[in-house]
C-alpha cells in the first residue's frame, strides 16, 4: 500500500488485525526519521503482516501524543481476543 496519512494508517491497521486474527501475526515498528538539512524530526510507523499488506506513515512531533493514544486504542481492541497464559503454580514445600 505504501505511505498513507496517520488516520488512514490507523483504519488500515485495524482492518489488518481483523483479517489476520486467526491466521498470522502483524508486526508494527517505529523509528526516528529526520529530514536531511533540517531539524525536523518525525516518527516513521510501519505495519506488515509478513505477506502482502504493508503500511507506513510519518507522524510529526506535534501529533505524536495524539497518534500514540489512538494507536494504543487499536492495540487494545486487537489484543482483546488473545488468550491469557495459564500460570504454573509452584508446588508448596512442606517445612
Amino acid at each position: 500500500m505504501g505511505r498513507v496519512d496517520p488516520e488512514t494508517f490507523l483504519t488500515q491497521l485495524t482492518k489488518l488485525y481483523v483479517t489476520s486474527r486467526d491466521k498470522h501475526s502483524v508486526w508494527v515498528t517505529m523509528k526516528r526519521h529526520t529530514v536531511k538539512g533540517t531539524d525536523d524530526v518525525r516518527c516513521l510507523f510501519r505495519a506488515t503482516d509478513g505477506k502482502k499488506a504493508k503500511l507506513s506513515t510519518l507522524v510529526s512531533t506535534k501529533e505524536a501524543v495524539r497518534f500514540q493514544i489512538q494507536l494504543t486504542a487499536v492495540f487494545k481492541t486487537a489484543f482483546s481476543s488473545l488468550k491469557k497464559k495459564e500460570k504454573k503454580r509452584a508446588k508448596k514445600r512442606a517445612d
Side-chain angles (χ1 to χ4, degrees):
M1 286 196 162
R3 191 163 297 159
V4 294
D5 64 295
E7 296 299 322
T8 307
F9 179 82
L10 293 171
T11 57
Q12 293 295 326
L13 182 62
T14 304
K15 291 178 184 178
L16 188 60
Y17 273 121
V18 169
T19 57
S20 64
R21 187 169 302 261
D22 297 326
K23 299 176 185 176
H24 50 271
S25 301
V26 174
W27 291 272
V28 178
T29 60
M30 181 192 90
K31 73 182 242 184
R32 182 180 172 153
H33 181 269
T34 56
V35 179
K36 291 183 180 180
T38 64
D39 293 335
D40 189 23
V41 178
R42 297 179 183 176
C43 294
L44 175 65
F45 287 89
R46 293 181 183 148
T48 183
D49 64 350
K51 308 233 184 249
K52 294 180 182 180
K54 292 182 180 180
L55 301 168
S56 65
T57 190
L58 281 172
V59 179
S60 68
T61 55
K62 294 176 184 176
E63 299 175 350
V65 174
R66 183 184 58 82
F67 182 78
Q68 187 176 8
I69 291 169
Q70 292 174 339
L71 186 63
T72 303
V74 171
F75 287 157
K76 284 182 181 179
T77 58
F79 298 157
S80 65
S81 64
L82 294 177
K83 295 179 184 177
K84 292 186 178 183
K85 288 186 176 181
E86 294 180 15
K87 294 181 181 178
K88 295 181 181 178
R89 295 186 181 197
K91 294 182 181 179
K92 292 184 180 179
R93 292 178 27 187
D95 291 13

